[in-house]
Amino acid sequence: MVKIAVLGYGTVGSGVVEVFEKNRESISRKAGQEIEVKYVLDLRDFPGDPVEKKLVHDYQVILEDPEIQVVVETMGGLKPAYDFSKQALLAGKSVCTSNKELVARHGMELMEIAREKNVNYLYEASCGGGIPIIRPLNTCLTADVIDEISGILNGTTNYILTKMESDGTDFETALREAQAKGYAERNPEADVEGYDACRKIAILSSLAFGSQVDYQDIYTEGITKITAEDIKYARAIGTSIKLLATSRRVENGVYAMVSPVMIGAENPLYSVTGVFNAVFVHGNMLGDAMFYGQGAGKLPTASAVAGDVVDCARHIGKNIPLSWGNEKLNLMDTGDVKHRFFVRIQGSLSDRLPAVEAAFGQVETITVPGIEGEFAFITGEMPEAAYRDGAEKTEGIVHMIRARF
């Protein structure tokens, strides 16, 4: 029997306990032995809840119990999650986590400790919730050279953009509805400013390219500036606006970026709507593949955590090699990254087009009935630095969104 402890009895932690209770027989069969939740750590009491019998308030009880072989960290944040995880690994206990902030900041260090102690630090649930992506990158796709990972990695922002597209509402209205339905936090900054997606693409990039990608180095732009007018333009030309997290190998190196992107219907991510997430992977042998599912939620995330626990139970006393190396990957300068750009600009098409083409070269123009006093254009592919130079020379730009179609 493998006995585990769960740190935190919030949404994900309670889900992990529920998964092990409901699917006990199936999980035990797959693990090759029974797995039992012995302790649940939380500062709160839960009178009347069956977890009362397992509840402890002192982490030392877990740390000093030799029966505990796997610690499940679902506390979130860095403190005390980092200290508790590190202590558990140093004590020879494997750790499974759903904490993308912790993995993005300290994952390499914690994996090194796990290797030294012949235990495991696993984090399938940290990227894409219930979508299996970490394990495929580390096992199924090891024969491939990964050229690109692009994903819709945040359900909150995807719900908001979908709502804006389907109902024609503005950002603030869609955000309030997302909060009312429990899809967005009271303070949604980490989601809507792109920070959550940034941490996730840093983790996926580190695995895909075999070197440490620091999330602080990734250009990140959220969706707070997307307007109902932007959505109207996108609809008029048969495209959709998504918050994409992308890392890509190109001739000059590897770049990583999080930003709104206007994508065409031929893109496999085009039809991913609502709170669903998807990760697109391109390998030099595999070609294209996409992983799709619920990117958050109590039970989907808990299911991914439980899968890691089963992996740990199968590998007691044996470290599972991960492709995340400790050498830092230096990302390309964002100015050298090439995109097409969708740009809205004040003024009439006939008056402004000569100046636009002088600054950006030949462009495709768009006008939409009902939107007065402006038009839009789409540039050819150009480096970000060249776009910025053109924008500085051009008055009246209302908004820019990167385009990929």
Side-chain angles (χ1 to χ4, degrees):
M1 177 183 290
V2 173
K3 296 190 178 183
I4 71 172
V6 178
L7 310 185
Y9 196 62
T11 300
V12 179
S14 62
V16 171
V17 173
E18 183 177 342
V19 167
F20 278 103
E21 287 176 351
K22 287 188 174 180
N23 294 345
R24 179 184 302 274
E25 290 184 12
S26 174
I27 290 172
S28 298
R29 185 171 61 254
K30 293 168 184 174
Q33 57 186 313
E34 189 176 349
I35 298 176
E36 177 189 307
V37 179
K38 184 174 182 180
Y39 299 119
V40 174
L41 177 75
D42 205 289
L43 293 175
R44 301 164 294 175
D45 292 309
F46 297 89
D49 192 305
V51 80
E52 270 191 302
K53 298 176 182 178
K54 303 175 185 293
L55 200 63
V56 294
H57 301 303
D58 183 0
Y59 180 59
Q60 291 300 314
V61 173
I62 294 168
L63 196 62
E64 295 172 5
D65 189 337
E67 285 192 331
I68 298 298
Q69 293 177 289
V70 182
V71 172
V72 176
E73 187 275 301
T74 63
M75 306 172 76
L78 296 177
K79 293 288 184 178
Y82 166 69
D83 293 327
F84 286 0
S85 297
K86 186 174 181 178
Q87 290 168 13
L89 293 168
L90 288 170
K93 305 177 191 295
S94 291
V95 175
C96 304
T97 185
S98 59
N99 189 338
K100 64 259 182 183
E101 183 178 5
L102 179 59
V103 178
R105 178 76 67 90
H106 296 293
M108 185 174 66
E109 175 195 357
L110 297 173
M111 282 184 285
E112 284 290 337
I113 296 172
R115 279 193 283 267
E116 291 170 5
K117 293 295 182 178
N118 221 27
V119 292
N120 290 288
Y121 183 69
L122 302 181
Y123 43 89
E124 180 67 67
S126 68
C127 295
I131 302 173
I133 183 62
I134 301 294
R135 200 168 284 108
L137 281 176
N138 195 57
T139 56
C140 309
L141 302 179
T142 52
D144 270 69
V145 174
I146 303 299
D147 300 314
E148 177 183 354
I149 295 182
S150 292
I152 296 170
L153 299 177
N154 183 272
T156 299
T157 51
N158 204 46
Y159 176 85
I160 291 170
L161 291 172
T162 300
K163 194 68 179 174
M164 292 175 69
E165 185 174 311
S166 62
D167 294 1
T169 57
D170 61 20
F171 170 79
E172 292 296 337
T173 302
L175 171 60
R176 285 195 296 271
E177 181 167 328
Q179 289 171 319
K181 291 190 172 184
Y183 296 147
E185 301 289 343
R186 182 174 298 177
N187 179 2
E189 182 183 22
D191 294 321
V192 299
E193 295 294 353
Y195 306 144
D196 176 78
C198 174
R199 293 186 176 101
K200 292 173 180 176
I201 198 64
I203 295 168
L204 294 175
S205 301
S206 297
L207 279 167
F209 301 123
S211 300
Q212 170 74 16
V213 174
D214 292 339
Y215 71 89
Q216 299 95 328
D217 296 340
I218 297 175
Y219 174 85
T220 302
E221 179 184 320
I223 66 168
T224 55
K225 295 180 182 178
I226 300 296
T227 66
E229 288 74 24
D230 294 323
I231 300 293
K232 288 179 182 178
Y233 277 109
R235 187 185 298 118
I237 59 173
T239 64
S240 182
I241 300 170
K242 306 291 188 183
L243 182 69
L244 291 192
T246 297
S247 60
R248 198 176 190 186
R249 192 191 307 272
V250 293
E251 289 182 8
N252 300 336
V254 173
Y255 75 84
M257 177 178 289
V258 176
S259 73
V261 179
M262 194 175 280
I263 60 175
E266 75 285 350
N267 191 305
L269 297 171
Y270 176 89
S271 59
V272 180
T273 59
V275 295
F276 280 81
N277 285 190
V279 182
F280 167 85
V281 179
H282 184 271
N284 69 337
M285 298 292 113
L286 168 74
D288 295 342
M290 192 168 82
F291 301 81
Y292 170 83
Q294 293 195 48
K298 176 178 178 176
L299 294 180
T301 305
S303 175
V305 175
D308 279 346
V309 174
V310 169
D311 240 6
C312 288
R314 288 171 173 168
H315 294 88
I316 297 295
K318 183 179 178 181
N319 178 257
I320 302 168
L322 297 173
S323 58
W324 186 332
N326 56 17
E327 181 180 347
K328 181 176 177 177
L329 179 63
N330 292 315
L331 299 174
M332 290 171 55
D333 187 295
T334 306
D336 296 328
V337 177
K338 293 182 178 180
H339 285 106
R340 300 181 75 193
F341 298 88
F342 162 86
V343 185
R344 290 169 52 203
I345 188 167
Q346 295 173 340
S348 70
L349 175 58
S350 57
D351 290 342
R352 299 302 309 276
L353 185 58
V356 165
E357 292 195 326
F360 298 100
Q362 188 172 358
V363 299
E364 301 173 23
T365 59
I366 311 163
T367 56
V368 173
I371 299 181
E372 305 294 337
E374 67 173 66
F375 67 98
F377 62 89
I378 299 173
T379 72
E381 188 174 71
M382 62 172 60
E384 295 260 343
Y387 167 78
R388 291 197 293 264
D389 288 344
E392 287 176 3
K393 301 172 185 175
T394 308
E395 295 181 358
I397 289 180
V398 178
H399 194 206
M400 177 274 285
I401 302 172
R402 291 163 185 85
R404 196 167 170 183
F405 55 88

